[in-house]
Structure formats: C-alpha cells, structure tokens
Amino acid sequence: MLWFICILTSSFIFTIHSHNNKCLRHQETLLLQLKHELIFNSSLSTKLVRWNESDECCKWHGVECDASGYVVSLQLDGEAIFGGIGDSSSLFRFKYLQKLNLAYNDFNYTDPIPKGIGTFTYLTHLNLSRARFGGQVPVEIASLKRLVSLDISNYDCWTPREFLSLEYPNLEMLVGNLTGLRELYLDCVNITSFHERNKWSHIVSSHLPNLTALSLHSCYLSGPLASSFWQLHSLSILRLDYTNLSTVQVPDFFTNFPSLTVLSLSNCSLKGSIPSTFANLTKLIHVSLAFNFLTGSLSSTLFEGLSNLAHLNLTGNSFSGNIPRSLYALPSLSELTLRLNQFNGTFKLDNLLSLTNLTYLGLSQNSLSVDVGNVDSRSYGRFQMKTLRLGSCNLSSVPNFIKRSRIERLELSDNRITGEIPSWIWGTQLVYLDLSSNLITDFQKPYHIPASLEHLFLDSNQLTGELQVPIPLESKLRYLDFADNNLSGPIPTFLCNVTHLEFLSLSGNKLSGSIPPCLLENIRGLDVNQNMINSSIPDHFPSDCRLEFLLLNNNTMEGKIPKSLEYCRRLKVIDIGNNNISSNIPDIFSMDCRLQYLALNNNSLEGKIPKSLKSCVSLEFMDVGNNKINDMFPCMLSSSLSVLVLHSNRFHGEVTCNMTWPVLRILDISSNHFSGYLESINFSSLRGMMQWSYVKSYKVGVTLIMKGIKLELEMICPDFGSIDFSCNNFIGEIPKAIGDLTSLHHLNLSHNAINGSIPWSFGNLTKLESLDLSRNQLIGPIPTGLGELTFLEVLNLSYNKLVGMIPNGRQIQTFSAESFEGNPGLCGFPLSTSCSHTDELSPREHEDVEEKREIEWEYVSAALGYVVGVGIIVWLLLFCRRFREKYFGKIQEVVEDMFIAIDMRRRRARMVTRNRARRQ
Ligand SMILES: *[C@@H]1O[C@H](CO)[C@@H](O)[C@H](O)[C@H]1NC(C)=O
Ligand SMILES: *[C@@H]1O[C@H](CO)[C@@H](O)[C@H](O)[C@H]1NC(C)=O
Ligand SMILES: *[C@@H]1O[C@H](CO)[C@@H](O)[C@H](O)[C@H]1NC(C)=O
Ligand SMILES: *[C@@H]1O[C@H](CO)[C@@H](O)[C@H](O)[C@H]1NC(C)=O
Ligand SMILES: *[C@@H]1O[C@H](CO)[C@@H](O)[C@H](O)[C@H]1NC(C)=O
Ligand SMILES: *[C@@H]1O[C@H](CO)[C@@H](O)[C@H](O)[C@H]1NC(C)=O
Ligand SMILES: *[C@@H]1O[C@H](CO)[C@@H](O)[C@H](O)[C@H]1NC(C)=O
C-alpha cells in the first residue's frame, strides 16, 4: 500500500514537470506507430495530426511522460478517430499509462471497447465517454484495480440502437473490484440485470462509500434508495436523470450530500416540495429538477446563500406563487428556466438588471404577467442574454431592451403583441424567432432579416396580403411557419432561393395559384393545407427528392397524383385529402417505403388501391374515403394499421381476408358494395379493440419536424375503437365476437341485410357511445344488457324485425321512439305500443343479467375518467399532449395546429356531422 502511494505521489510530481522530460526513442517509435495505426479524420484532428518526429515526443499534444520518459498520459479526445484500436494495437504497449482519454471519437457503435485495456495495470483515469463504442463492456475493465475515475458514458441516449451494456461484468463485479473509484460515469449504459436496476444504489454505495461523482443519467434505474446510499457524504456530482425515484422523499437529497456542486434529477418522478435545507448546499453550481411532480411555492430563503449557482432548471413541475426575489441576487446565475410551471403574479424584467451573467431566461407557460418596465434600454447595456423565452407571459409589446442585446433565440409566442414587428428585433445574430399566436399585422419597414436566422415562426397572427419577406441569399433559414394568417396571392417563388429551407408551413391562409415546382427541390416538409390552391400538384419531384411530409389537404387542386412522387422515398406523410384530384392512385411505392400516414379522402380518385402499398409496412393511417375507387378489400395492407377508412367508394366483394391488424382502432368501410357473410370476418383478430388487450399503446408514430425539433410522436392513448360497416350488402348474422371488442365506442352495421338476433354479448360493450343496427333484418328481442350501457348516446334499431319488450335500462329510456320504430313486434316505452305480458325474461336470462352487472362495475370504474360528449379524438390529443409535455417538454414547440391534429379534428367533425345527417 505504501508503495502504491509512492507511485501516485511521484507521478504527480513528475507530471507537473513532464515537459522537461526527455523523450525515449522507443516511446517515440511507439507513438508514431500508434498514429499510423489509428484511423482518424486528419482534417478534424488537432493533436494526432501534429505528432511528428522533429519535436520532443513528450511535448506532443495530448502526450505526457514521467520522469524517466515513459508515456503516462494520452489525451486523444475529439480526434475524429473511428477505428484502428484492436487488441493488438500499439496503444497497449504503453505499459505505464495512467490516464487514457478517448472521449468524443466515433466508433460508430460497432467497435467494442478493446479488451487490451486490461493490460494498463497503472491506469487511474479512463475516459471513453461519448466515443460511440458499442456492445458489452469488457470484463478486463474490472481488473484495473487502480482506477480512480471511470467514464464510459454513452452519447445521445435517444437514438434507437444497441446501448453499451454492462452484463458481464455486471455493475456489482465492476464496482466490487474497482474499490478505489471516486468518479463513476455510466450515463446511458444498459445495466441489463433487472435485479441490479433496482439494487444499484446499494451496490454502488456499499462498495464505493467515498464516491465524489456518480452519474447514471438515463440508465432507467429505479428506487427506493438504499440506506447506505445516503452515506455518500463526499458526493459532489450526482446525476440520476430518468431514474424512477417516486418513492424517494425530496428532503433527503439535500441534507445528506453537503458537498454537492452538480445535482441533476430531471424526469425522476419526484414529488413534494423543495425543503428549506436546500439553502445549505452553498456549493451548488448546477441544479436540474426538470420534469418532476414538484409543487409548492419557492421561498426566497431557498436561494439566498447559493452564491455559486449558475444553472437552475425547474422546467415542467407544478411550482406556484411568485418567482422568489433571492433569485435576482445570485451573482453567478447564467441559466434560469422555470418554464411549464404555475408561477403567478407579476414579474418585472428590471429585476434582471443585476444578473449580468444571465444568458438564458425561460419563463414561458406559467401564469405570469411580465412587466417589461420602462427602463431605458441603455440600462441593459451589460446584458449577456442569448436566449429569452417569454411565451404566454401576457406581453402586449416586444420588450424594448432587446434592442441593445445580442439575443440569438427569442420566443414570445402566445402573447398579445399587436401591430408591426419592430424592425430592430432582427438584430444581427438572431437564430430563432417565435412570435406565433399573437396579433401581429405587419413587418415594420425597412427591416433586414439576418443571415443567421434558422427558425422563423409567425403562425397564428393577422398578417395579410402577399407573402413578401426579404430573405438574404446566404440565409440559413430552415424552418418557416406562416400558418393561420390571412395571407393571399400566390405562393412566392423567392422561397425557392432559400437554399436551406427544410420545413415550410403556409396552411390556413388564402393562398391561391399553384405550388412553384422549384420549391420541391430541397424541401423536407411542405404544409399548404387549407388554402385556395387550384392547379395540379406539379410533376416535378426531383430524383433525389427529400420530401418527408406533403400536406395539401383542403384546397381545390385538380389533375393527377404525379408520377414523379415515386422519387420521394422518404415520405412519411401524404395528405392530399379534400381536393378535386381525379386519377388513379399511381403504383409508386418503393420497397423501402416509409409511409406512415396516407390521406386521399374526398377526391375523385378512381381505379384500384396500388399493390405497391404492400411495401409500406409502417403504414398506420389510411383514409381513401369518398372517392370512386373500384377494388376489392385491400387485404395486403400493413399490419401496423391503426386507422383504415374506405368509406363511400365502389369497393366490392367479400371481406374474407384473414385480417391481421392487431392495432386497428378505426375501421370504416361504410357505403360501398361489400357483400358476403358477416360471420366470415375475423373480428377476434382485432385485438386492438379489446380492452384487456396487451396492445395498450396507440402509436401515431409520425416524426414531426416542428419548430426545429424532431419529435417522434408516440402517443400512449386510451382505448378507442370504431367500426362502421353500414350501407353495404352484408348478409348473415352478427358475430358474437364483436361483443369482445370491449373498447368499441362506435358500431354501425346499419343498411345491410343482416339477419339473426342481436348477440347478448353486446351488453359487454360498456364503452359504446353509439350503436346503429337500423335497416336490417334482425329478429328476436333486444338484449337487456343494452339497457345498461351508461355511455350510449345514440341508439338506432329501427326498421328491423325485433320483438318483445324494450329493456328497462336507465340509459335506454332516454331514447325516443324513432330509435325503435319500424319494428312491429317491439313494445313498451318509448313506443306507444304497450306490452301485453310483463314476464318477458326467462330465469336463465335473469342470471345472465346479474352476472353482467357485476362485470360492468369494473368497467365503469375503469372508465370513470372518461368525459362523455367531448370529441374523442380531440380528447385523445389532449391526453397525448399532456404525455408529450411530460416526456418531451416541448409543448410550446409543438405547433398548436399540427397537421395530424387538424386532420383528425376535421375528420372527427365530419364523422359527427355524417352521423347526425344519417340519424335524421
Ligand atoms: C457505421 O455503422 C453502420 C451500421 O451500423 C454502417 O452502415 C456504416 O457503414 C458504419 N460506418 C463506418 C464509418 O464504419
Ligand atoms: C475481482 O477481484 C477478485 C478478487 O480480487 C478476483 O478474483 C476477480 O478475478 C476479479 N474480477 C475481475 C473481473 O477482474
Ligand atoms: C438492454 O439490455 C437488455 C438485455 O440484453 C435488452 O433486452 C434491452 O433491449 C437493452 N436495452 C437497450 C435500450 O438497449
Ligand atoms: C473512504 O475514506 C475513509 C476516510 O478517508 C477511509 O478510511 C476509507 O478506507 C475509505 N474507503 C474506501 C473503500 O476507500
Ligand atoms: C441547514 O439549514 C438550516 C436552516 O435552513 C439550519 O438550521 C441547519 O443548521 C443547517 N444544517 C447544516 C448541516 O448546515
Ligand atoms: C432543462 O432540463 C430539461 C430536461 O433535462 C432539458 O431538456 C432542458 O434542455 C433544460 N433546459 C435548459 C435551459 O438547460
Ligand atoms: C398565486 O398562486 C397562489 C398559490 O397557488 C395563490 O394563493 C395566489 O392567490 C395566486 N396569486 C395570484 C395573483 O393569482
């Protein structure tokens, strides 16, 4: 042990004087050999590329030697190395290496961490972070007994791919052998054992009681925290983001780790309020408690002594009350974000005058009123502000002090800003400007849009006239959103000169004319929904088409779907619904089709569903309703379909294919010429409509590019199902299996030639809101269970051959006689025909009813949260939005009128109208 300390001490001393050390010839040879072996991009390298023979090798960049000239430290981080470290690499011949840093290189997730690392018996510091190593962490790492600091954190945990994983060695083996560790960074490393994911806090703290840094960001671990964990009194850095700590009391965090400088606990499901002992952590520099369930108001005393605090991130909680005054007195504060909370009261921007280091201020989405004050903008002279986010802050004008600042990102959406956009707002280094959802009418002239601008959002304002924006030639503009204004005239061709433009939204205006073909050259997302464009879709998609979203819904476009669309192999969303397109749907979908959303409804399309759609295995949404398509049922469609609408076409034949759509939620094939026996349709395979189904998550997985953020919209939505087979020629009986589709909200089998009786199993459809079986040949009694369906708002059983007494359910009594008319055999309320005998039910049926009641209570309690009468899809979206808010924290960045929402809302509206129309 003494010997060990000596080595450490001597290396410490000699490291300081390393530059005096003489380069040993064999070490130099080895270094050159290493340089030769490593595969790196020499144009990005700053160290390796400058290693050469003429200099003293111990002075080479990234190299340090000890007194005798042996290399003891290699700092090869950020050298664009992407290969060349096999187990036989020269690297492993530096026997006395103490520090190795390969961070920020790119091993492409394919190269594993080389096993040769186990040969470095003197290694104290190993940094392999963000180097994109893949696969399993080699067991050899666990033999590096002298390690003090180990960092194998991964890169962007969000990209779907294999994580670097700790399996053998597992966490216990690793920390059990490396008892000298003081710093352990394992962000985004997959700790594969379920047991270890729960017991990690005990494993780490029992073996490493003197840890100073622990970083387990995005390892998806969970609490509770072991008692030994609270003894890690030396902790200075603690990052546990995305660890489920819902069982942990917040106060403990602050009393037990007095040396904390970095505390990062975002997305940890923390509850409760910040306790007063927080004020004792005077060394804190960086605090993130974003996206938890924290509540309460923040007392001013909490921050009084935190003179080192530079970053405070409390985004996405439920803090309320005033913003504490003590925050304005923190001398080091540079980033403050309190977005997405319930802070209230008035916030005076003048308060910030004392915060001369502030670069980021986020106050959006609270209940604050921001008072911009009347201080002369010169007072803000020393302001460093780079990002200012004052969305929904009750502002009536653009804060004037911005005039003198060098702001790069400005978000002022959802305020009451009227009139012209001041010409000084544009500055010279603006990158991001969001003025959406205000009352802006024009641009103050003259104005200069800086070339630096990448995002410009002016959607939901009151801009009128032709769209004219003087965008400089060298502009970096990528996202441009003018949706929901009053713009008219043609889509201007100057947009074609904006070479970096990726996403353009002009939806909800009064633009007319045509789409300039040149616009299609580079664009990735084009949204001109709801305008007055009346020419055809240009057949000018380039052969290297980059388009992912094409939204032309609700115009008056004519002509064909262009053949050149076939070049757009990255398309995820095609929405050409509600136009006058008349042609066949071209058979253009490629083998690697990525389409997820296809809406062609309300046009005059003819011909067949193209066979190549079969390749679109990600297709989730298809609506070709209200066209003239003349085809058989499209059995070949993707099994990932959630929504299929064929309504009102010329589809015909039987629906006999073995439907394997386990996530299908909405199936509308009404108003066609389908025929055949209803029994031959395999309803049992529609597992997505069964409440007990394991398929709980309804994924509308369209990646939206909105406000510069790529969002994978994965919506975990409650069960919702709808089947509409009405106005066809189906015969036979209603399959009992429909009664198992317990998440059905709408069922319409009307206007067919169905006979037999209504299955008793319909009493299980406890979520049913509308049921239409009218105009068929149904016989027998109405199942008593139907009388008990609490959410049923629409019932139509008219014009059948039903007999017996109308059941006495609370709900069924609310329907009028029209619901039952045209069934001469029916009697009882609300019909005027009274029943002659009252003993309609047999004893067996009584039992059935009792049994059903019991089951029903479960369903009712499960459905309690359901709000009747709210448009279901809108409701889903609201729910989903809350989900997104929580998990992406980007609520304001998701455009209010995002196209899916619009489309679904519109579709919902139509569905309601249509149903109403049919009911009359
Ligand atoms: C990185 O890996 C991907 C597949 O994982 C492969 O297609 C690509 O060619 C690799 N790149 C390099 C530079 O090795
Ligand atoms: C861990 O240490 C134990 C005891 O010192 C040793 O037997 C074992 O081989 C070590 N494990 C690894 C992976 O080096
Ligand atoms: C983590 O490892 C487990 C077990 O090998 C695997 O099932 C899981 O998919 C991995 N998770 C990630 C995110 O790579
Ligand atoms: C932790 O530190 C204490 C006091 O400095 C020391 O006595 C103890 O041996 C250390 N424990 C480990 C496992 O290094
Ligand atoms: C922490 O702060 C409280 C007041 O908030 C004080 O009473 C207590 O003594 C402090 N504890 C430590 C360990 O400094
Ligand atoms: C606050 O924390 C959230 C969650 O970790 C993060 O996404 C966001 O970028 C942070 N904001 C700032 C300004 O650092
Ligand atoms: C602010 O919120 C607090 C706590 O929720 C409440 O008591 C107070 O009345 C609110 N103040 C204003 C001005 O709305």
Side-chain angles (χ1 to χ4, degrees):
M1 188 65 200
L2 205 58
W3 167 82
F4 173 60
I5 290 173
C6 289
I7 292 222
L8 276 183
T9 325
S10 57
S11 76
F12 175 65
I13 292 166
F14 294 122
T15 306
I16 288 176
H17 302 288
S18 60
H19 287 301
N20 299 329
N21 300 331
K22 181 118 180 53
C23 175
L24 296 175
R25 190 58 42 206
H26 53 86
Q27 293 287 286
E28 181 179 320
T29 314
L30 216 47
L31 285 168
L32 289 173
Q33 213 167 316
L34 177 64
K35 175 184 174 183
H36 180 72
E37 284 169 14
L38 289 176
I39 304 169
F40 64 99
N41 182 341
S42 50
S43 63
L44 297 174
S45 158
T46 58
K47 303 179 203 174
L48 277 173
V49 78
R50 293 159 69 187
W51 288 7
N52 57 48
E53 290 163 74
S54 56
D55 284 320
E56 166 67 44
C57 76
C58 290
K59 289 183 184 167
W60 288 355
H61 288 270
V63 179
E64 279 177 36
C65 305
D66 65 5
S68 358
Y70 282 97
V71 173
V72 291
S73 170
L74 282 174
Q75 301 293 320
L76 298 177
D77 48 317
E79 284 293 283
I81 304 169
F82 58 97
I85 311 187
D87 292 329
S88 59
S89 164
S90 304
L91 178 64
F92 304 115
R93 291 166 60 195
F94 293 100
K95 274 196 266 181
Y96 301 105
L97 207 60
Q98 293 164 17
K99 295 183 180 170
L100 175 62
N101 186 349
L102 291 170
Y104 295 98
N105 284 296
D106 190 354
F107 293 94
N108 199 23
Y109 302 118
T110 40
D111 290 8
I113 297 174
K115 294 186 194 314
I117 268 173
T119 60
F120 294 132
T121 41
Y122 298 104
L123 206 64
T124 57
H125 291 76
L126 180 59
N127 188 349
L128 304 178
S129 65
R130 294 158 180 81
R132 301 183 197 243
F133 282 110
Q136 291 196 17
V137 175
V139 71
E140 285 74 11
I141 277 194
S143 63
L144 300 174
K145 302 248 187 230
R146 297 204 175 133
L147 271 190
V148 172
S149 174
L150 174 63
D151 189 347
I152 51 173
S153 298
N154 252 330
Y155 220 26
D156 47 8
C157 317
W158 292 101
T159 37
R161 45 162 193 80
E162 282 283 302
F163 278 37
L164 197 59
S165 67
L166 265 185
E167 190 165 354
Y168 181 81
N170 58 19
L171 185 63
E172 175 119 48
M173 281 175 74
L174 190 72
V175 300
N177 278 27
L178 305 180
T179 48
L181 273 187
R182 294 291 179 274
E183 300 172 359
L184 179 61
Y185 302 88
L186 299 176
D187 303 333
C188 317
V189 170
N190 188 357
I191 293 170
T192 57
S193 148
F194 183 73
H195 169 79
E196 289 202 324
R197 284 185 190 197
N198 288 301
K199 296 282 177 246
W200 63 275
S201 62
H202 175 73
I203 295 171
V204 169
S205 54
S206 58
H207 290 288
L208 306 173
N210 295 339
L211 268 187
T212 60
L214 179 63
S215 196
L216 298 169
H217 190 298
S218 305
C219 293
Y220 298 99
L221 308 170
S222 42
L225 296 175
S227 54
S228 53
F229 188 83
W230 302 111
Q231 309 303 315
L232 297 176
H233 298 310
S234 313
L235 272 183
S236 161
I237 296 176
L238 179 61
R239 287 195 207 101
L240 297 175
D241 309 62
Y242 292 95
T243 298
N244 180 357
L245 297 176
S246 53
T247 53
V248 175
Q249 287 297 311
V250 185
D252 295 342
F253 268 100
F254 308 120
T255 48
N256 289 276
F257 311 121
S259 311
L260 279 183
T261 57
V262 174
L263 177 66
S264 194
L265 299 172
S266 66
N267 294 283
C268 286
S269 306
L270 291 171
K271 297 191 205 74
S273 56
I274 298 184
S276 58
T277 48
F278 180 79
N280 293 9
L281 300 177
T282 51
K283 296 184 179 159
L284 279 175
I285 296 171
H286 179 112
V287 175
S288 174
L289 298 171
F291 300 108
N292 282 293
F293 303 106
L294 297 170
T295 53
S297 58
L298 299 180
S299 139
S300 213
T301 55
L302 279 182
F303 304 98
E304 264 159 16
L306 306 187
S307 57
N308 299 306
L309 196 64
H311 304 265
L312 179 63
N313 187 341
L314 301 179
T315 299
N317 282 286
S318 298
F319 290 116
S320 55
N322 289 318
I323 295 178
R325 301 196 61 81
S326 55
L327 276 180
Y328 317 140
L330 295 177
S332 311
L333 200 61
S334 86
E335 291 188 8
L336 173 63
T337 167
L338 307 174
R339 293 189 312 124
L340 292 160
N341 276 288
Q342 289 150 27
F343 288 109
N344 63 8
T346 301
F347 177 84
K348 288 190 178 352
L349 272 188
D350 299 356
N351 289 328
L352 301 176
L353 279 173
S354 51
L355 295 174
T356 48
N357 291 316
L358 201 65
T359 58
Y360 187 114
L361 176 66
L363 299 179
S364 307
Q365 275 72 51
N366 280 287
S367 306
L368 289 168
S369 285
V370 168
D371 178 354
V372 296
N374 46 15
V375 180
D376 183 340
S377 62
R378 263 169 300 221
S379 321
Y380 292 87
R382 285 166 63 213
F383 241 30
Q384 308 289 319
M385 193 80 82
K386 292 269 187 285
T387 303
L388 180 62
R389 307 188 63 172
L390 299 177
S392 55
C393 281
N394 240 330
L395 289 172
S396 52
S397 63
V398 179
N400 170 290
F401 76 87
I402 292 170
K403 211 185 264 191
R404 297 185 65 86
S405 68
R406 275 176 242 107
I407 272 195
E408 292 171 6
R409 294 171 182 272
L410 181 59
E411 183 218 326
L412 298 173
S413 62
D414 210 359
N415 281 293
R416 295 175 289 115
I417 301 172
T418 50
E420 295 184 333
I421 304 172
S423 54
W424 47 260
I425 207 175
W426 305 100
T428 51
Q429 34 215 325
L430 201 62
V431 173
Y432 182 106
L433 178 61
D434 184 352
L435 288 171
S436 57
S437 299
N438 278 291
L439 305 163
I440 291 167
T441 50
D442 208 347
F443 295 70
Q444 186 186 18
K445 295 180 187 73
Y447 64 105
H448 298 282
I449 292 190
S452 53
L453 196 68
E454 293 177 20
H455 303 75
L456 177 57
F457 301 101
L458 288 169
D459 45 302
S460 299
N461 276 292
Q462 296 174 359
L463 298 169
T464 52
E466 290 199 15
L467 179 60
Q468 283 170 334
V469 190
I471 295 173
L473 267 183
E474 65 282 17
S475 167
K476 298 200 177 78
L477 204 62
R478 288 158 59 212
Y479 298 87
L480 192 55
D481 195 342
F482 282 93
D484 296 316
N485 279 285
N486 262 318
L487 298 169
S488 54
I491 299 179
T493 48
F494 76 79
L495 291 170
C496 299
N497 302 334
V498 187
T499 43
H500 296 279
L501 196 62
E502 292 183 12
F503 183 84
L504 173 64
S505 178
L506 300 171
S507 64
N509 280 290
K510 295 189 186 118
L511 298 168
S512 52
S514 57
I515 296 173
C518 56
L519 203 52
L520 306 174
E521 288 294 328
N522 288 310
I523 207 137
R524 288 172 56 198
L526 177 64
D527 179 0
V528 293
N529 280 354
Q530 280 182 293
N531 276 287
M532 289 147 56
I533 295 167
N534 56 12
S535 57
S536 55
I537 308 172
D539 196 359
H540 282 93
F541 294 95
S543 56
D544 59 345
C545 177
R546 300 173 70 207
L547 205 62
E548 292 173 42
F549 310 95
L550 179 62
L551 295 136
L552 308 175
N553 193 307
N554 216 333
N555 281 285
T556 46
M557 303 191 77
E558 297 176 339
K560 299 177 176 180
I561 299 179
K563 185 84 182 5
S564 59
L565 200 58
E566 74 180 305
Y567 300 130
C568 304
R569 297 156 82 110
R570 300 182 188 177
L571 269 171
K572 289 181 177 152
V573 174
I574 300 179
D575 187 350
I576 311 182
N578 298 296
N579 279 291
N580 298 327
I581 311 278
S582 57
S583 67
N584 292 348
I585 308 173
D587 204 3
I588 54 171
F589 301 96
S590 61
M591 286 307 286
D592 59 348
C593 171
R594 298 176 198 178
L595 201 63
Q596 298 178 7
Y597 186 100
L598 178 62
L600 303 174
N601 52 302
N602 294 51
N603 279 292
S604 304
L605 295 165
E606 298 174 349
K608 295 185 188 305
I609 300 287
K611 291 279 174 289
S612 56
L613 255 186
K614 184 183 165 80
S615 325
C616 303
V617 290
S618 309
L619 193 65
E620 295 177 13
F621 183 105
M622 174 161 136
D623 184 353
V624 296
N626 292 308
N627 279 292
K628 297 173 190 159
I629 299 170
N630 189 338
D631 200 355
M632 307 284 283
F633 189 84
C635 288
M636 82 295 185
L637 291 178
S638 153
S639 62
S640 45
L641 267 186
S642 291
V643 176
L644 176 61
V645 180
L646 307 178
H647 168 78
S648 202
N649 274 288
R650 295 170 187 166
F651 284 99
H652 53 87
E654 297 185 14
V655 186
T656 48
C657 51
N658 194 0
M659 286 193 278
T660 49
W661 291 314
V663 292
L664 197 67
R665 300 295 175 98
I666 297 176
L667 176 59
D668 180 354
I669 62 170
S670 59
S671 303
N672 279 291
H673 309 301
F674 286 119
S675 57
Y677 286 91
L678 214 49
E679 299 100 297
S680 61
I681 298 172
N682 182 4
F683 288 97
S684 327
S685 74
L686 300 177
R687 294 199 302 276
M689 298 200 205
M690 295 178 198
Q691 200 172 29
W692 48 264
S693 129
Y694 63 90
V695 193
K696 274 280 178 211
S697 68
Y698 171 34
K699 186 172 168 248
V700 178
V702 232
T703 306
L704 298 175
I705 299 193
M706 287 286 149
K707 305 234 157 175
I709 284 116
K710 199 161 151 264
L711 266 193
E712 190 80 17
L713 263 196
E714 186 161 336
M715 302 183 176
I716 311 288
C717 294
D719 299 305
F720 169 79
S722 169
I723 291 181
D724 193 341
F725 279 27
S726 62
C727 304
N728 279 290
N729 304 321
F730 288 110
I731 55 171
E733 300 190 6
I734 301 176
K736 290 191 181 50
I738 292 185
D740 296 332
L741 306 180
T742 44
S743 54
L744 265 187
H745 288 235
H746 300 277
L747 178 61
N748 190 344
L749 303 175
S750 68
H751 295 81
N752 279 291
I754 306 170
N755 55 31
S757 56
I758 304 174
W760 286 84
S761 62
F762 272 30
N764 298 339
L765 299 175
T766 48
K767 300 221 166 149
L768 213 55
E769 287 174 64
S770 77
L771 175 64
D772 190 346
L773 303 175
S774 63
R775 308 260 174 191
N776 278 295
Q777 315 280 329
L778 295 168
I779 56 168
I782 300 175
T784 34
L786 282 190
E788 311 285 336
L789 299 179
T790 4
F791 296 126
L792 203 61
E793 284 181 334
V794 177
L795 177 68
N796 193 348
L797 302 176
S798 62
Y799 300 97
N800 277 291
K801 296 173 182 164
L802 298 168
V803 296
M805 193 178 83
I806 294 171
N808 288 315
R810 233 178 320 135
Q811 190 66 17
I812 207 165
Q813 301 288 314
T814 64
F815 298 111
S816 67
E818 285 164 35
S819 295
F820 305 98
E821 71 189 5
N823 290 285
L826 281 181
C827 64
F829 187 81
L831 293 177
S832 48
T833 342
S834 59
C835 301
S836 42
H837 3 265
T838 46
D839 54 340
E840 294 290 324
L841 294 181
S842 70
R844 170 78 194 109
E845 281 161 345
H846 268 300
E847 267 171 42
D848 268 5
V849 171
E850 285 309 314
E851 214 173 276
K852 269 183 207 108
R853 274 215 187 96
E854 269 170 42
I855 297 165
E856 208 170 46
W857 277 111
E858 277 172 42
Y859 289 138
V860 167
S861 58
L864 262 182
Y866 193 82
V867 189
V868 192
V870 179
I872 288 109
I873 292 179
V874 174
W875 185 76
L876 290 186
L877 283 162
L878 286 177
F879 178 91
C880 296
R881 171 166 311 153
R882 223 177 305 135
F883 173 82
R884 290 201 305 266
E885 199 178 302
K886 201 69 212 157
Y887 288 87
F888 297 97
K890 303 269 162 70
I891 173 141
Q892 198 51 28
E893 274 112 79
V894 176
V895 185
E896 181 61 33
D897 57 353
M898 62 182 240
F899 46 80
I900 299 291
I902 282 189
D903 209 278
M904 290 235 186
R905 257 183 245 142
R906 212 184 297 126
R907 187 162 288 114
R908 163 68 186 171
R910 260 202 316 278
M911 204 149 84
V912 171
T913 348
R914 202 175 61 223
N915 284 349
R916 257 193 223 122
R918 204 172 286 163
R919 247 180 274 148
Q920 283 155 7

